[in-house]
Amino acid sequence: MPLWSGRFEGGLDQSAWEVNASLPVDQRMALQDVRGSLAWAKALVKAGALTQSEGDQIQRGLKEIAAEFEAHEFEFKAGDEDIHTAVERALTELIGPVGGKLHTGRSRNDQVATDFRLWLMDNIPALVAKMERLQGALLGRAEADFGLLMPGYTHLQRAQPVLLAHWWLAHFWPLQRDRERMIQVAARCGVLPLGAAGLAGTPLAVDRRALADELGFAHVSPNSIDAVSDRDFASGFLYTAALTGVHLSRLAEMMGLFTSQEFGFFELDDAYATGSSLMPQKKNPDIFELARGRAGTLIGLLTGLLTTLKGLPSAYDKDLQEDKEGVFRAFDLLSGLLPVLAGALDTLRVNPAALAAAIEPGLMATDLADYLVARGVPFRQAHGETARLVRRALAQGKPVSELPLEAFQEVNPLFEADLYTAFDPQRSVERRRAEGGTAPEAVRVQIEQARAALQGSS
Ligand code: ARG
């Protein structure tokens, strides 16, 4: 029987019941719901709304219910509309009519907002740990692959040589920002809605500050109408999840390319690759494609919640019941994915010969222009002259490094025999020593920074 049935003569149509009920989704917050109720019962005793003995009975009943949830022995009944109803119903069965006193001065509106915030506060740390684990895998790759060079790409065209370690860390830092954001999301959940009641605030002399302390909230919501309708924390979670998805997707896109025969830079371990039911030779990076695919789903979940919120009248509206499914889904999608990606990176094989073969002299064209710059030529002029040399080499079907000295000197007499050192890729990366650059000494500093970022979090 719904908590609100007294107002109605007839029962709810079965199909309407199924649309209205939220138990399949919100039972995931069972322990948070009981915790919120335990704190509320205590607050009611302090406020004089329950006798000590009533409070004790309710506490005992709720603890028994929590133990049943923990042991997965709690029995839901057909009439349980949502997790709040299920707990109140079970409590009344356990301790009798006094269980009906628990809901004094509160509403499911503030209760659900409290449960939801608590759930995220409880569960975000595990997700953060998984993000950290993937960062650890990226850092591990940077350390293991330290001396190797690869072509760096812009517009997916070969641009300049970079350290493979530098490239790995380019995917570490976005996750560092995501992880910091995720920790902030948990902090933003720490505002207590309980005591807002339906919308106007509870008429009881409840000490909401003490209630917040009891439940681990840093703050108390300053406005009861806002408290029951605020889903910024859920939107923030979905934004952070979506952005993490975007970052994983960009890494995944490169993993797909770099494990292809065309690049051949990496090979996935069999434990993280899949085959084709038709083509016996295939070794597919499905895991990374799913990461790319899930990013689309995560963006959709964020868009879904924001769209739900944008037209809502003030205070609570039932539309808000749709908020949890997307958040749980996003949480599960990322929770499942992050450790798999970490495992795939840990076990990846790098092909140094393929990396080296992809570094052709054209990648050092900027270094050649810089050679002239070092001899006083304005960069714009040096760029144009180097481009002419590149064009000439292309027309002759050979690398620019194989043009004779005279060809260089024809374009600019400042060129001397030592110009050919500009084509050394090792020298090219070593020149980029400024903080954040790809020189081995700069990347060593970066690795230290990445280590510190991970240590700072544990
Ligand atoms: N199941 C509801 C939800 O998830 C709880 C709040 C219901 N409030 C109400 N006035 N019907 O949002």
Side-chain angles (χ1 to χ4, degrees):
M1 191 102 78
L3 299 173
W4 38 263
S5 57
R7 157 74 177 75
F8 294 83
E9 275 178 34
L12 191 59
D13 170 82
Q14 182 55 28
S15 52
W17 167 268
E18 277 159 24
V19 169
N20 184 61
S22 55
L23 186 66
V25 173
D26 60 28
Q27 58 176 278
R28 207 162 159 174
M29 308 188 301
L31 288 173
Q32 288 76 23
D33 194 76
V34 176
R35 228 159 77 215
S37 287
L38 279 166
W40 186 245
K42 199 166 162 184
L44 289 181
V45 172
K46 278 202 338 204
L50 288 182
T51 66
Q52 188 63 50
S53 137
E54 288 169 335
D56 289 347
Q57 290 176 64
I58 290 176
Q59 294 269 343
R60 217 176 332 104
L62 287 171
K63 282 180 186 156
E64 204 171 317
I65 290 169
E68 284 178 19
F69 279 126
E70 264 160 8
H72 303 284
E73 278 166 6
F74 184 91
E75 271 180 46
F76 289 106
K77 299 220 166 135
D80 293 342
E81 181 183 348
D82 53 28
I83 188 61
H84 327 295
T85 311
V87 170
E88 189 176 323
R89 188 259 315 144
L91 181 68
T92 309
E93 282 173 9
L94 271 174
I95 65 170
V98 66
K101 290 200 171 190
L102 172 63
H103 211 53
T104 312
R106 89 176 171 184
S107 147
R108 284 181 295 163
N109 297 354
D110 48 345
Q111 211 185 340
V112 73
T114 304
D115 294 2
F116 199 13
R117 286 172 181 270
L118 280 176
W119 189 90
L120 282 167
M121 287 155 73
D122 286 348
N123 287 282
I124 282 177
L127 193 57
V128 166
K130 288 181 177 180
M131 295 164 94
E132 193 180 334
R133 159 84 177 90
L134 179 56
Q135 285 184 277
L138 286 160
L139 176 56
R141 286 258 52 119
E143 286 167 336
D145 302 336
F146 191 76
L148 298 173
L149 303 190
M150 69 183 291
Y153 298 83
T154 62
H155 313 265
L156 208 54
Q157 306 289 320
R158 287 180 184 166
Q160 291 176 343
V162 294
L163 253 62
L164 176 54
H166 193 50
W167 184 83
W168 283 124
L169 291 174
H171 294 279
F172 172 97
W173 297 110
L175 284 172
Q176 174 66 17
R177 297 191 291 274
D178 291 333
R179 195 162 57 86
E180 286 166 4
R181 260 186 289 271
M182 199 52 101
I183 291 166
Q184 285 162 10
V185 169
R188 284 192 177 277
C189 288
V191 182
L192 176 84
L194 204 57
L199 81 160
T202 186
L204 305 174
V206 165
D207 180 352
R208 295 189 66 216
R209 192 67 55 179
L211 202 49
D213 290 344
E214 173 92 20
L215 287 168
F217 288 93
H219 308 281
V220 170
S221 64
N223 180 306
S224 60
I225 301 173
D226 179 40
V228 292
S229 67
D230 173 14
R231 293 296 182 273
D232 293 3
F233 63 97
S235 312
F237 173 80
L238 287 176
Y239 169 71
T240 304
L243 191 57
T244 305
V246 166
H247 294 144
L248 298 181
S249 178
R250 294 189 68 177
L251 171 64
E253 167 68 12
M254 294 316 289
M255 295 306 291
L257 286 173
F258 286 172
T259 56
S260 71
Q261 276 83 4
E262 279 63 26
F263 283 85
F265 293 171
F266 305 149
E267 189 187 345
L268 292 175
D269 189 80
D270 285 1
Y272 294 97
T274 35
S276 159
S277 60
L278 172 71
M279 296 163 280
Q281 86 284 10
K282 294 298 295 292
K283 185 169 183 181
N284 294 331
D286 287 31
I287 292 307
F288 288 99
E289 291 169 309
L290 287 166
R292 199 173 54 195
R294 285 186 176 194
T297 306
L298 289 166
I299 292 165
L301 293 170
L302 169 64
T303 311
L305 179 60
L306 292 177
T307 310
T308 297
L309 294 176
K310 73 173 267 295
L312 289 188
S314 59
Y316 180 85
D317 305 278
K318 193 64 173 247
D319 317 42
L320 290 171
Q321 180 166 284
E322 296 288 299
D323 58 0
K324 284 165 289 301
E325 198 166 5
V327 165
F328 293 157
R329 178 103 201 274
F331 183 90
D332 292 341
L333 287 174
L334 278 183
S335 292
L337 190 58
L338 288 162
V340 177
L341 299 183
L345 294 185
D346 286 344
T347 54
L348 186 79
R349 274 183 298 282
V350 172
N351 182 348
L355 290 172
I359 298 175
E360 26 110 4
L363 285 161
M364 274 67 76
T366 319
D367 299 281
L368 192 63
D370 288 346
Y371 175 96
L372 291 177
V373 169
R375 281 150 189 82
V377 178
F379 179 76
R380 192 47 53 215
Q381 181 189 331
H383 182 285
E385 289 172 355
T386 308
R388 263 162 62 202
L389 288 160
V390 167
R391 234 179 327 132
R392 181 177 300 186
L394 272 175
Q396 296 177 16
K398 56 181 168 194
V400 60
S401 58
E402 281 173 26
L403 291 175
L405 179 58
E406 304 75 63
F408 287 94
Q409 287 174 334
E410 231 170 78
V411 167
N412 191 319
L414 289 170
F415 276 120
E416 290 173 44
D418 65 347
L419 76 90
Y420 293 97
T421 59
F423 294 110
D424 177 1
Q426 192 63 40
R427 185 177 164 280
S428 170
V429 295
E430 274 163 16
R431 292 179 62 231
R432 288 165 169 79
R433 271 191 292 270
E435 189 179 344
T438 201
E441 63 180 87
V443 174
R444 247 181 235 114
V445 171
Q446 197 189 152
I447 285 179
E448 283 315 312
Q449 291 171 330
R451 266 197 211 122
L454 285 186
Q455 268 153 22
S457 62
S458 51

